[in-house]
Amino acid sequence: TEIEVNKCYTGRRVRLPVPKPPTEDFSPFKFLYKNIGKDLSKVCMPISINEPLNMLQRLCEELEYSELLDKAAGLHDPTERMIQVAAFAVSSYASTIYRAAHKPFNPLLGETYECIREDKGFKFIAEQVKNKIVIVYHFIFVLFFFIFFLTKLLI
């Protein structure tokens, strides 16, 4: 059998491995009201406010609409190019309505995440390198080029 050149062989999941817990009965205001006067850094936060992803996976989701950047690179009109880049910048907010009041889990020190998107032509690698001020190194490999990012997240 012949191998198809543009086929994605890494497999993509269609649902999360763990369903999101129900949060209808959780109210952040009620939770804060019960903990008035307490040091909130010592209070155990309910697990139901987390989504079943970690921050490294969430960073990779920023590249979901990377084809907008590919399209912008091929345009000659600077205005059209800026429109495509702006559309990419706001595309990360496309799923925030479903994630209101939920935060991803913080990755462990030394935890890595790798995502190979053969269909989009990039490879994403991220590693948690510091915990106190959350610092994540992530690399994006596109064809023969790679882009290096250092992200400081104040969580």
Side-chain angles (χ1 to χ4, degrees), residues 68-69 71-72 75 77-90:
L68 294 171
L69 294 179
K71 185 177 177 183
L75 295 173
D77 181 23
T79 306
E80 289 295 320
R81 198 169 36 234
M82 181 58 87
I83 289 171
Q84 294 299 318
V85 171
F88 171 76
V90 299

Coordinates of all heavy atoms in Angstrom, one line a residue, residues 68-69 71-72 75 77-90:
L68 N -4.6 31.3 9.4 CA -4.7 32.7 9.2 C -3.3 33.4 9.0 O -3.2 34.3 8.2 CB -5.5 33.4 10.3 CG -6.9 33.0 10.5 CD1 -7.5 33.5 11.8 CD2 -7.7 33.4 9.3
L69 N -2.3 33.0 9.8 CA -1.0 33.5 9.6 C -0.4 33.0 8.3 O 0.3 33.8 7.6 CB -0.1 33.1 10.8 CG -0.5 33.7 12.1 CD1 0.5 33.2 13.2 CD2 -0.5 35.2 12.1
K71 N -2.0 32.4 5.6 CA -2.7 33.2 4.5 C -2.1 34.7 4.5 O -1.9 35.2 3.5 CB -4.2 33.3 4.8 CG -5.0 34.0 3.8 CD -6.5 33.9 4.1 CE -7.3 34.7 3.1 NZ -8.7 34.7 3.4
A72 N -1.9 35.2 5.7 CA -1.3 36.6 5.8 C 0.1 36.7 5.2 O 0.4 37.7 4.6 CB -1.3 37.1 7.3
L75 N -0.1 37.3 1.4 CA -0.7 38.5 0.9 C 0.3 39.7 0.7 O 1.2 39.8 1.4 CB -1.8 39.0 1.9 CG -3.0 38.1 2.1 CD1 -3.9 38.6 3.2 CD2 -3.8 37.9 0.8
D77 N -0.9 43.0 0.1 CA -1.5 44.3 0.6 C -1.3 44.3 2.2 O -1.8 43.4 2.9 CB -3.0 44.3 0.3 CG -3.7 45.5 0.8 OD1 -3.0 46.6 1.0 OD2 -4.9 45.5 0.9
P78 N -0.7 45.3 2.7 CA -0.4 45.4 4.2 C -1.7 45.5 5.0 O -1.8 44.9 6.1 CB 0.4 46.6 4.4 CG 0.6 47.2 3.0 CD 0.0 46.4 2.0
T79 N -2.7 46.1 4.5 CA -4.0 46.2 5.2 C -4.6 44.8 5.3 O -5.1 44.4 6.4 CB -5.0 47.2 4.5 OG1 -4.3 48.4 4.3 CG2 -6.2 47.3 5.3
E80 N -4.7 44.1 4.2 CA -5.2 42.7 4.3 C -4.4 41.8 5.2 O -5.0 41.0 5.9 CB -5.3 42.1 2.9 CG -6.4 42.8 2.0 CD -7.8 42.5 2.5 OE1 -8.1 41.4 3.0 OE2 -8.6 43.4 2.5
R81 N -3.1 42.0 5.1 CA -2.2 41.2 6.0 C -2.5 41.5 7.4 O -2.6 40.6 8.3 CB -0.8 41.5 5.6 CG 0.2 40.4 6.1 CD 1.6 40.6 5.5 NE 2.0 41.9 5.3 CZ 2.5 42.4 4.2 NH1 2.6 41.7 3.1 NH2 2.9 43.7 4.1
M82 N -2.7 42.8 7.8 CA -3.0 43.1 9.2 C -4.3 42.6 9.6 O -4.5 42.2 10.8 CB -2.9 44.7 9.3 CG -3.2 45.1 10.7 SD -2.0 44.5 11.9 CE -0.7 45.6 11.8
I83 N -5.3 42.6 8.7 CA -6.6 42.0 9.1 C -6.5 40.5 9.4 O -7.1 40.1 10.4 CB -7.6 42.2 7.9 CG1 -7.9 43.7 7.8 CG2 -8.8 41.4 8.1 CD1 -8.7 44.1 6.6
Q84 N -5.7 39.8 8.7 CA -5.5 38.4 8.9 C -4.8 38.1 10.3 O -5.1 37.2 11.0 CB -4.8 37.7 7.8 CG -5.5 37.6 6.5 CD -6.8 36.9 6.6 OE1 -6.9 35.8 7.2 NE2 -7.8 37.4 6.0
V85 N -3.8 38.9 10.5 CA -3.0 38.8 11.8 C -3.9 39.2 13.0 O -3.9 38.5 14.0 CB -1.7 39.7 11.8 CG1 -1.1 39.7 13.1 CG2 -0.8 39.1 10.7
A86 N -4.7 40.2 12.8 CA -5.7 40.6 13.9 C -6.7 39.5 14.1 O -7.1 39.2 15.3 CB -6.3 41.9 13.6
A87 N -7.2 38.9 13.1 CA -8.1 37.8 13.2 C -7.5 36.6 13.9 O -8.2 36.0 14.8 CB -8.6 37.4 11.8
F88 N -6.2 36.3 13.7 CA -5.5 35.3 14.4 C -5.4 35.7 15.9 O -5.6 34.8 16.8 CB -4.1 35.0 13.8 CG -3.3 34.1 14.6 CD1 -3.6 32.7 14.6 CD2 -2.3 34.6 15.5 CE1 -2.8 31.9 15.4 CE2 -1.5 33.8 16.2 CZ -1.8 32.4 16.2
A89 N -5.1 36.9 16.2 CA -4.9 37.3 17.6 C -6.2 37.2 18.4 O -6.1 36.8 19.5 CB -4.4 38.8 17.6
V90 N -7.3 37.5 17.8 CA -8.6 37.4 18.5 C -9.2 36.0 18.4 O -10.1 35.7 19.1 CB -9.6 38.4 18.1 CG1 -9.1 39.8 18.4 CG2 -10.0 38.2 16.7

